[in-house]
Amino acid sequence: QSVLTQPPSVSGAPGQRVTISCTGAGSNIGAGYDVHWYQQLPGTAPKLLIYGNTNRPSVVPDRFSASKSGTSASLVITGLQAEDEADYFCQSYDSSLSASVFGGGTTLTVL
Amino acid sequence: QVHLHESGPGLVKPSQTLSLTCSVSGASISSGGHYWSWIRQHPGKGLEWIGFSKYIGNPYYNPSLQSRVTISEDTSKNEFSLKLASVTAADTAVYYCVRWAGYGVRGFVDSWGQGTLVTVSS
């Protein structure tokens, strides 16, 4: 059971927009700690997608964006492409656990 | 471009100690500005942060693993290592060595090794 809750799977057709949620609590996201997002393509290590809630590394396309509000965060992918099919993870810090924590991951299927 | 590479046994017997080494190139682990860390991924997706080799001068571990974990650095070789004692099947996972950026334990991973699968089995 992960501290940060993500839907196990989402799907969308090419060109569509999908949203992946990450729900936490008052000891992590709700306490104001930053949320970061990673993409894990099949058979590879995760890759940084978003850091500090909304910041995108220069190599990441602007189709990827994220936001945070209250005890939750969201990753939005627009103009869905087949190459976006991957697992996506959120990460934050939890003060009650004194540890960095991850969501359980969401598998994105491009139909 | 920093590159991290894990090495170590892929099979460990229950109750023994898991030992892995991470070789770093393209950056110095003693230069500051980043933290060097281990993360594992259990079969079926879940990611778990294990700890830092150095945080405010000392190693810093996930409290859930603290009693069994040791992470150390060899700056002469630009390497850092993980030891996890008294392993069980629940420690079977892909282990990643990573470079951590941002505000310490509240930060994020900006570089990942390729990962190495460690299976705990007799």
Side-chain angles (χ1 to χ4, degrees), chain A residues 56-99:
Chain A
R56 201 176 50 246
S58 58
V59 296
V60 174
D62 59 6
R63 302 187 294 105
F64 294 88
S65 63
S67 62
K68 187 183 92 166
S69 178
T71 58
S72 295
S74 295
L75 174 70
V76 175
I77 309 170
T78 58
L80 207 56
Q81 299 181 3
E83 68 204 49
D84 299 333
E85 198 161 273
D87 290 330
Y88 292 85
F89 296 89
C90 60
Q91 177 225 332
S92 187
Y93 173 75
D94 191 285
S95 59
S96 65
L97 298 174
S98 297

Short mmCIF file of all heavy atoms in Angstrom, two decimals, chain A residues 56-99:
data_model
loop_
_atom_site.label_atom_id
_atom_site.label_comp_id
_atom_site.label_asym_id
_atom_site.label_seq_id
_atom_site.Cartn_x
_atom_site.Cartn_y
_atom_site.Cartn_z
N ARG A 56 9.65 21.39 -15.77
CA ARG A 56 9.95 20.36 -16.75
C ARG A 56 11.40 20.47 -17.17
O ARG A 56 11.84 21.55 -17.60
CB ARG A 56 9.02 20.56 -17.96
CG ARG A 56 8.79 19.41 -18.84
CD ARG A 56 7.78 19.76 -19.94
NE ARG A 56 8.11 20.99 -20.63
CZ ARG A 56 7.38 22.10 -20.58
NH1 ARG A 56 6.25 22.11 -19.87
NH2 ARG A 56 7.75 23.19 -21.21
N PRO A 57 12.19 19.37 -17.07
CA PRO A 57 13.55 19.42 -17.64
C PRO A 57 13.49 19.77 -19.12
O PRO A 57 12.51 19.46 -19.80
CB PRO A 57 14.06 17.98 -17.42
CG PRO A 57 13.25 17.44 -16.28
CD PRO A 57 11.91 18.09 -16.42
N SER A 58 14.55 20.37 -19.62
CA SER A 58 14.53 20.88 -21.00
C SER A 58 14.29 19.80 -22.04
O SER A 58 13.77 20.08 -23.12
CB SER A 58 15.85 21.61 -21.29
OG SER A 58 16.95 20.74 -21.09
N VAL A 59 14.63 18.55 -21.72
CA VAL A 59 14.49 17.48 -22.71
C VAL A 59 13.07 16.91 -22.76
O VAL A 59 12.74 16.11 -23.62
CB VAL A 59 15.48 16.33 -22.44
CG1 VAL A 59 16.91 16.83 -22.60
CG2 VAL A 59 15.25 15.73 -21.07
N VAL A 60 12.24 17.31 -21.83
CA VAL A 60 10.86 16.78 -21.77
C VAL A 60 9.93 17.67 -22.60
O VAL A 60 9.91 18.90 -22.42
CB VAL A 60 10.37 16.71 -20.31
CG1 VAL A 60 8.90 16.30 -20.26
CG2 VAL A 60 11.22 15.74 -19.50
N PRO A 61 9.16 17.07 -23.50
CA PRO A 61 8.26 17.86 -24.35
C PRO A 61 7.22 18.63 -23.52
O PRO A 61 6.82 18.18 -22.45
CB PRO A 61 7.56 16.80 -25.21
CG PRO A 61 8.44 15.60 -25.15
CD PRO A 61 9.11 15.64 -23.83
N ASP A 62 6.78 19.77 -24.05
CA ASP A 62 5.81 20.58 -23.31
C ASP A 62 4.40 19.99 -23.36
O ASP A 62 3.46 20.59 -22.84
CB ASP A 62 5.81 22.03 -23.81
CG ASP A 62 5.47 22.16 -25.28
OD1 ASP A 62 5.11 21.12 -25.91
OD2 ASP A 62 5.57 23.27 -25.83
N ARG A 63 4.25 18.82 -23.95
CA ARG A 63 2.97 18.10 -23.87
C ARG A 63 2.73 17.60 -22.45
O ARG A 63 1.61 17.25 -22.09
CB ARG A 63 2.98 16.90 -24.81
CG ARG A 63 3.22 17.23 -26.27
CD ARG A 63 3.06 16.02 -27.17
NE ARG A 63 4.06 14.99 -26.94
CZ ARG A 63 3.83 13.85 -26.30
NH1 ARG A 63 2.62 13.60 -25.81
NH2 ARG A 63 4.79 12.95 -26.18
N PHE A 64 3.80 17.54 -21.67
CA PHE A 64 3.71 17.09 -20.29
C PHE A 64 3.67 18.30 -19.36
O PHE A 64 4.52 19.19 -19.44
CB PHE A 64 4.91 16.22 -19.93
CG PHE A 64 4.98 14.93 -20.68
CD1 PHE A 64 5.63 14.85 -21.90
CD2 PHE A 64 4.40 13.77 -20.17
CE1 PHE A 64 5.70 13.66 -22.61
CE2 PHE A 64 4.46 12.57 -20.87
CZ PHE A 64 5.11 12.52 -22.08
N SER A 65 2.68 18.31 -18.48
CA SER A 65 2.58 19.38 -17.48
C SER A 65 2.00 18.80 -16.21
O SER A 65 1.45 17.69 -16.20
CB SER A 65 1.70 20.53 -17.99
OG SER A 65 0.37 20.08 -18.19
N ALA A 66 2.16 19.54 -15.11
CA ALA A 66 1.68 19.05 -13.83
C ALA A 66 1.25 20.20 -12.95
O ALA A 66 1.66 21.35 -13.16
CB ALA A 66 2.76 18.20 -13.15
N SER A 67 0.46 19.86 -11.96
CA SER A 67 0.00 20.86 -11.00
C SER A 67 -0.19 20.21 -9.64
O SER A 67 -0.15 18.98 -9.51
CB SER A 67 -1.33 21.47 -11.47
OG SER A 67 -2.33 20.47 -11.54
N LYS A 68 -0.38 21.06 -8.64
CA LYS A 68 -0.59 20.56 -7.28
C LYS A 68 -1.63 21.45 -6.60
O LYS A 68 -1.64 22.67 -6.77
CB LYS A 68 0.72 20.62 -6.49
CG LYS A 68 0.66 19.97 -5.11
CD LYS A 68 1.97 20.13 -4.37
CE LYS A 68 1.98 21.36 -3.52
NZ LYS A 68 3.10 21.38 -2.53
N SER A 69 -2.51 20.81 -5.83
CA SER A 69 -3.52 21.55 -5.09
C SER A 69 -3.94 20.75 -3.88
O SER A 69 -4.32 19.59 -4.00
CB SER A 69 -4.74 21.83 -5.98
OG SER A 69 -5.74 22.53 -5.26
N GLY A 70 -3.87 21.39 -2.71
CA GLY A 70 -4.26 20.71 -1.49
C GLY A 70 -3.43 19.47 -1.22
O GLY A 70 -2.20 19.56 -1.16
N THR A 71 -4.08 18.34 -1.10
CA THR A 71 -3.37 17.09 -0.81
C THR A 71 -3.19 16.24 -2.06
O THR A 71 -2.89 15.05 -1.96
CB THR A 71 -4.13 16.27 0.25
OG1 THR A 71 -5.44 16.00 -0.23
CG2 THR A 71 -4.17 16.98 1.59
N SER A 72 -3.37 16.83 -3.24
CA SER A 72 -3.25 16.07 -4.48
C SER A 72 -2.40 16.78 -5.52
O SER A 72 -2.19 18.00 -5.43
CB SER A 72 -4.64 15.82 -5.08
OG SER A 72 -5.41 14.99 -4.25
N ALA A 73 -1.95 16.00 -6.47
CA ALA A 73 -1.22 16.53 -7.62
C ALA A 73 -1.71 15.80 -8.86
O ALA A 73 -2.29 14.72 -8.77
CB ALA A 73 0.28 16.33 -7.44
N SER A 74 -1.48 16.41 -10.01
CA SER A 74 -1.91 15.81 -11.27
C SER A 74 -0.87 16.00 -12.35
O SER A 74 -0.21 17.04 -12.42
CB SER A 74 -3.23 16.46 -11.75
OG SER A 74 -4.28 16.19 -10.86
N LEU A 75 -0.72 14.97 -13.16
CA LEU A 75 0.13 15.01 -14.35
C LEU A 75 -0.81 14.99 -15.55
O LEU A 75 -1.71 14.14 -15.63
CB LEU A 75 1.05 13.80 -14.39
CG LEU A 75 1.91 13.63 -15.65
CD1 LEU A 75 2.99 14.71 -15.72
CD2 LEU A 75 2.54 12.23 -15.69
N VAL A 76 -0.61 15.92 -16.47
CA VAL A 76 -1.44 16.00 -17.67
C VAL A 76 -0.57 15.78 -18.90
O VAL A 76 0.51 16.38 -19.02
CB VAL A 76 -2.15 17.37 -17.76
CG1 VAL A 76 -2.92 17.47 -19.08
CG2 VAL A 76 -3.09 17.57 -16.58
N ILE A 77 -1.03 14.90 -19.76
CA ILE A 77 -0.35 14.66 -21.03
C ILE A 77 -1.33 15.01 -22.14
O ILE A 77 -2.43 14.45 -22.20
CB ILE A 77 0.10 13.20 -21.18
CG1 ILE A 77 0.87 12.74 -19.94
CG2 ILE A 77 0.94 13.01 -22.43
CD1 ILE A 77 1.16 11.25 -19.89
N THR A 78 -0.94 15.95 -22.99
CA THR A 78 -1.79 16.34 -24.10
C THR A 78 -1.20 15.82 -25.41
O THR A 78 0.00 15.47 -25.46
CB THR A 78 -1.93 17.87 -24.19
OG1 THR A 78 -0.63 18.45 -24.32
CG2 THR A 78 -2.59 18.43 -22.93
N GLY A 79 -2.01 15.75 -26.45
CA GLY A 79 -1.53 15.26 -27.73
C GLY A 79 -0.88 13.89 -27.60
O GLY A 79 0.23 13.66 -28.07
N LEU A 80 -1.59 12.97 -26.98
CA LEU A 80 -1.06 11.65 -26.64
C LEU A 80 -0.41 10.97 -27.85
O LEU A 80 -0.95 11.01 -28.97
CB LEU A 80 -2.20 10.81 -26.09
CG LEU A 80 -1.89 9.68 -25.12
CD1 LEU A 80 -1.11 10.18 -23.93
CD2 LEU A 80 -3.19 9.02 -24.70
N GLN A 81 0.76 10.38 -27.62
CA GLN A 81 1.46 9.66 -28.68
C GLN A 81 1.74 8.23 -28.22
O GLN A 81 1.81 7.95 -27.02
CB GLN A 81 2.78 10.36 -29.00
CG GLN A 81 2.61 11.79 -29.51
CD GLN A 81 3.92 12.47 -29.85
OE1 GLN A 81 5.00 11.87 -29.76
NE2 GLN A 81 3.84 13.74 -30.25
N ALA A 82 1.93 7.35 -29.17
CA ALA A 82 2.19 5.94 -28.86
C ALA A 82 3.40 5.79 -27.96
O ALA A 82 3.44 4.91 -27.08
CB ALA A 82 2.38 5.15 -30.15
N GLU A 83 4.38 6.63 -28.14
CA GLU A 83 5.62 6.55 -27.34
C GLU A 83 5.41 6.96 -25.89
O GLU A 83 6.32 6.80 -25.08
CB GLU A 83 6.69 7.44 -27.97
CG GLU A 83 6.39 8.94 -27.87
CD GLU A 83 7.11 9.75 -28.93
OE1 GLU A 83 7.03 9.37 -30.11
OE2 GLU A 83 7.74 10.75 -28.56
N ASP A 84 4.26 7.49 -25.56
CA ASP A 84 3.96 7.86 -24.18
C ASP A 84 3.51 6.67 -23.34
O ASP A 84 3.34 6.79 -22.13
CB ASP A 84 2.87 8.95 -24.12
CG ASP A 84 3.28 10.22 -24.83
OD1 ASP A 84 4.49 10.50 -24.91
OD2 ASP A 84 2.37 10.94 -25.31
N GLU A 85 3.31 5.54 -23.99
CA GLU A 85 2.86 4.35 -23.26
C GLU A 85 3.96 3.92 -22.30
O GLU A 85 5.07 3.55 -22.72
CB GLU A 85 2.53 3.23 -24.25
CG GLU A 85 1.68 2.13 -23.68
CD GLU A 85 0.98 1.30 -24.74
OE1 GLU A 85 -0.12 1.67 -25.18
OE2 GLU A 85 1.57 0.27 -25.13
N ALA A 86 3.66 3.99 -21.01
CA ALA A 86 4.67 3.78 -19.97
C ALA A 86 3.99 3.76 -18.61
O ALA A 86 2.78 3.97 -18.49
CB ALA A 86 5.70 4.92 -20.00
N ASP A 87 4.80 3.53 -17.58
CA ASP A 87 4.36 3.69 -16.19
C ASP A 87 4.78 5.07 -15.71
O ASP A 87 5.87 5.55 -16.04
CB ASP A 87 4.98 2.63 -15.29
CG ASP A 87 4.44 1.25 -15.55
OD1 ASP A 87 3.25 1.12 -15.96
OD2 ASP A 87 5.18 0.27 -15.34
N TYR A 88 3.91 5.70 -14.93
CA TYR A 88 4.18 7.03 -14.40
C TYR A 88 4.07 7.00 -12.88
O TYR A 88 3.14 6.42 -12.32
CB TYR A 88 3.19 8.04 -14.99
CG TYR A 88 3.41 8.25 -16.47
CD1 TYR A 88 2.83 7.38 -17.40
CD2 TYR A 88 4.22 9.28 -16.94
CE1 TYR A 88 3.05 7.54 -18.76
CE2 TYR A 88 4.44 9.45 -18.30
CZ TYR A 88 3.86 8.58 -19.20
OH TYR A 88 4.09 8.74 -20.55
N PHE A 89 5.05 7.61 -12.21
CA PHE A 89 5.11 7.61 -10.76
C PHE A 89 5.19 9.03 -10.23
O PHE A 89 5.92 9.86 -10.78
CB PHE A 89 6.35 6.86 -10.26
CG PHE A 89 6.38 5.41 -10.60
CD1 PHE A 89 6.93 4.97 -11.79
CD2 PHE A 89 5.88 4.47 -9.71
CE1 PHE A 89 6.97 3.62 -12.10
CE2 PHE A 89 5.91 3.12 -10.02
CZ PHE A 89 6.46 2.69 -11.21
N CYS A 90 4.49 9.30 -9.12
CA CYS A 90 4.68 10.56 -8.41
C CYS A 90 5.54 10.29 -7.17
O CYS A 90 5.65 9.15 -6.70
CB CYS A 90 3.34 11.19 -8.02
SG CYS A 90 2.27 10.19 -6.95
N GLN A 91 6.15 11.34 -6.65
CA GLN A 91 7.04 11.22 -5.49
C GLN A 91 6.95 12.51 -4.67
O GLN A 91 6.83 13.60 -5.22
CB GLN A 91 8.47 11.02 -5.96
CG GLN A 91 9.52 10.94 -4.86
CD GLN A 91 10.75 11.76 -5.18
OE1 GLN A 91 11.11 11.98 -6.33
NE2 GLN A 91 11.41 12.25 -4.15
N SER A 92 7.01 12.37 -3.36
CA SER A 92 7.05 13.52 -2.46
C SER A 92 7.75 13.11 -1.18
O SER A 92 8.28 12.00 -1.07
CB SER A 92 5.63 14.02 -2.18
OG SER A 92 5.65 15.23 -1.46
N TYR A 93 7.75 14.00 -0.21
CA TYR A 93 8.33 13.71 1.10
C TYR A 93 7.21 13.60 2.12
O TYR A 93 6.24 14.38 2.07
CB TYR A 93 9.30 14.82 1.50
CG TYR A 93 9.83 14.68 2.91
CD1 TYR A 93 10.80 13.73 3.21
CD2 TYR A 93 9.35 15.49 3.94
CE1 TYR A 93 11.27 13.58 4.51
CE2 TYR A 93 9.81 15.36 5.23
CZ TYR A 93 10.78 14.40 5.51
OH TYR A 93 11.24 14.26 6.79
N ASP A 94 7.34 12.65 3.02
CA ASP A 94 6.35 12.49 4.09
C ASP A 94 7.01 12.76 5.44
O ASP A 94 7.94 12.05 5.82
CB ASP A 94 5.76 11.08 4.05
CG ASP A 94 4.56 10.95 4.96
OD1 ASP A 94 4.77 10.90 6.19
OD2 ASP A 94 3.42 10.94 4.47
N SER A 95 6.51 13.75 6.14
CA SER A 95 7.13 14.15 7.40
C SER A 95 6.85 13.16 8.53
O SER A 95 7.65 13.02 9.45
CB SER A 95 6.65 15.55 7.80
OG SER A 95 5.24 15.56 7.93
N SER A 96 5.75 12.45 8.47
CA SER A 96 5.47 11.49 9.54
C SER A 96 6.33 10.25 9.39
O SER A 96 6.65 9.58 10.38
CB SER A 96 3.99 11.12 9.55
OG SER A 96 3.64 10.43 8.38
N LEU A 97 6.73 9.94 8.19
CA LEU A 97 7.60 8.79 7.92
C LEU A 97 9.06 9.19 7.86
O LEU A 97 9.94 8.33 7.86
CB LEU A 97 7.21 8.12 6.60
CG LEU A 97 5.80 7.53 6.53
CD1 LEU A 97 5.51 7.02 5.12
CD2 LEU A 97 5.62 6.40 7.53
N SER A 98 9.33 10.50 7.77
CA SER A 98 10.69 11.01 7.60
C SER A 98 11.37 10.35 6.41
O SER A 98 12.54 9.94 6.47
CB SER A 98 11.53 10.78 8.86
OG SER A 98 10.99 11.49 9.95
N ALA A 99 10.63 10.24 5.34
CA ALA A 99 11.15 9.53 4.16
C ALA A 99 10.54 10.11 2.89
O ALA A 99 9.43 10.64 2.90
CB ALA A 99 10.83 8.04 4.25
#
